[in-house]
Amino acid sequence: MRRRHLTETLLVLGVSLGSSAVYALLRIVDRLTRPEALSQQTSAMNSSVTPDRPWLDVTYQLAGIAFALVPVLLAFHLLRRDDPAEPRTMGFDLRRPVGDLWRGAALAAVIGIPGLGLYLVAKAVGLNTTVAAANLVGAAWFTVPILVLAAAQNAVLEETIMIGYLFRRWTEAGWGTWRVIVTSAVIRGTYHLYQGFGGFVGNIVMGLLFGWLYTRTKRVMPLVVAHTILDVVAFVGYSLLKPHVSWL
């Protein structure tokens, strides 16, 4: 059973965030071996595919969001073989909307400001790229809705896989609580390494905090709410402020 659970988690990670971690490692090697300094490079996110044809671009964006959530459905399917109550067991449900919202908002506030400070410091000392968080066509009507959906997709994917699913399976495989928390957090940091070392460290800290909170509450939904808020502020805020703020 232990081997089965560990093999299953490797496969789920292999078709989702684990593969992102490998590509992020390759990306940071690429960046570090370029002539220009890391701080002079840009990590572009949420980019248009066909900027000259908005109708096709929005279709590409929606397809990317939808397919990114398939590993979540796979994880739920695998967990439900042993526990038909999943994903309710991990707390991914709407049973406590008010509590989940205020806890998620408070958690986003606690993480957001220090996270921005860490990014600015890391970039200033040459350890991080410039993160261009939103690069959709500025005049397109769908820019803000797509960025909000992308933020929610990131949150659902990362928190249900990295917390809800992996914590369940690794615990069933006999891992101790802190081994689970630390391993999940390091993987989370690794798949953000394409941004630089500030993103790596910041997301490890976020993963440690999220993991510890989950072991106390057994609810993943506040983490999804917090992550969604953080990414909405980053994506939409960048899109709106970029034309007016020189240091973004």
Side-chain angles (χ1 to χ4, degrees):
M1 183 66 71
R2 179 178 183 272
R3 179 176 293 181
R4 192 194 84 177
H5 287 329
L6 293 177
T7 299
E8 181 187 291
T9 58
L10 285 174
L11 293 174
V12 170
L13 284 172
V15 297
S16 59
L17 296 164
S19 63
S20 298
V22 173
Y23 283 117
L25 282 167
L26 295 173
R27 187 62 167 161
I28 194 64
V29 171
D30 169 39
R31 290 187 182 283
L32 292 173
T33 53
R34 291 183 184 182
E36 64 269 31
L38 193 62
S39 59
Q40 300 302 311
Q41 301 176 39
T42 299
S43 298
M45 304 166 62
N46 300 302
S47 300
S48 288
V49 180
T50 57
D52 57 324
R53 287 157 292 170
W55 63 271
L56 185 57
D57 199 21
V58 71
T59 304
Y60 267 112
Q61 303 299 330
L62 291 173
I65 291 169
F67 282 118
L69 292 174
V70 172
V72 175
L73 299 179
L74 173 61
F76 290 165
H77 172 74
L78 294 170
L79 290 175
R80 284 175 62 86
R81 295 185 306 178
D82 304 320
D83 181 2
E86 286 288 13
R88 185 170 179 171
T89 301
M90 72 170 66
F92 185 69
D93 55 45
L94 300 176
R95 285 178 295 168
R96 306 174 190 173
V98 176
D100 290 342
L101 283 172
W102 79 256
R103 288 185 179 88
L107 186 55
V110 167
I111 293 173
I113 296 175
L116 177 60
L118 176 62
Y119 162 70
L120 293 175
V121 170
K123 186 174 182 298
V125 299
L127 295 176
N128 216 81
T129 64
T130 297
V131 179
N135 299 277
L136 297 176
V137 178
W141 61 267
F142 59 82
T143 297
V144 171
I146 287 294
L147 291 175
V148 171
L149 286 175
Q153 172 253 298
N154 286 345
V156 171
L157 173 64
E158 294 188 39
E159 305 315 326
T160 58
I161 296 291
M162 298 309 301
I163 302 291
Y165 168 74
L166 288 179
F167 276 46
R168 172 74 176 269
R169 283 297 191 240
W170 283 342
T171 299
E172 291 171 341
W175 286 20
T177 298
W178 278 105
R179 183 181 182 187
V180 172
I181 292 174
V182 171
T183 304
S184 174
V186 170
I187 295 172
R188 184 191 294 260
T190 302
Y191 61 72
H192 286 93
L193 194 54
Y194 70 93
Q195 299 173 8
F197 297 101
F200 174 68
V201 172
N203 278 279
I204 286 181
V205 174
M206 178 176 167
L208 292 172
L209 177 59
F210 276 21
W212 177 79
L213 287 172
Y214 180 73
T215 62
R216 307 272 298 193
T217 66
K218 299 302 182 183
R219 285 196 63 75
V220 80
M221 190 57 80
L223 311 180
V224 172
V225 171
H227 196 147
T228 300
I229 292 172
L230 289 169
D231 279 7
V232 166
V233 171
F235 297 169
V236 177
Y238 181 92
S239 179
L240 296 177
L241 292 177
K242 175 59 177 174
H244 312 288
V245 180
S246 60
W247 53 267
L248 282 177

